């Protein structure tokens, strides 16, 4: 879910990698797996689908006690 939460931010793959102390390729691999599991082809579609499934809160909805990454 961490990578999915990052997809809801404007951070680039490089910025996500730096925050998570992993390589950009690792981020790309995780993102591709998230897309596949959600049956989507892009970042916005993944976030929308995750919200539909209750995996992420939509805009304006209170968080469920799960820390979200803070956009820089």
């Amino acid at each position: 879910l961490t990578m999915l939460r990052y997809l809801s931010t404007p951070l680039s793959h490089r910025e996500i990698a730096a925050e998570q102390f992993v390589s950009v390729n690792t981020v790309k691999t995780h993102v591709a797996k998230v897309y596949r599991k959600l049956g989507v082809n892009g970042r916005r579609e993944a976030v929308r689908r995750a919200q539909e499934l209750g995996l992420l809160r939509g805009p304006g909805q209170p968080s469920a006690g799960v820390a979200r990454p803070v956009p820089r």
Side-chain angles (χ1 to χ4, degrees):
L1 285 175
T2 299
M3 196 57 60
L4 191 53
R5 284 191 295 270
Y6 273 109
L7 291 177
S8 68
T9 71
L11 297 178
S12 68
H13 287 170
R14 182 173 289 182
E15 292 168 324
I16 295 168
E19 288 204 7
Q20 291 296 303
F21 303 103
V22 298
S23 75
V24 175
N25 284 337
T26 298
V27 172
K28 289 179 181 179
T29 298
H30 285 287
V31 168
K33 289 179 180 182
V34 168
Y35 290 175
R36 188 179 72 242
K37 288 179 181 182
L38 293 175
V40 299
N41 294 312
R43 191 172 185 147
R44 287 183 183 175
E45 202 178 353
V47 171
R48 191 176 317 115
R49 182 69 179 134
Q51 290 169 346
E52 289 171 359
L53 295 171
L55 300 172
L56 287 178
R57 299 287 180 160
Q61 292 180 329
S63 67
V66 177
R68 291 187 184 199
V70 178
R72 292 181 179 208

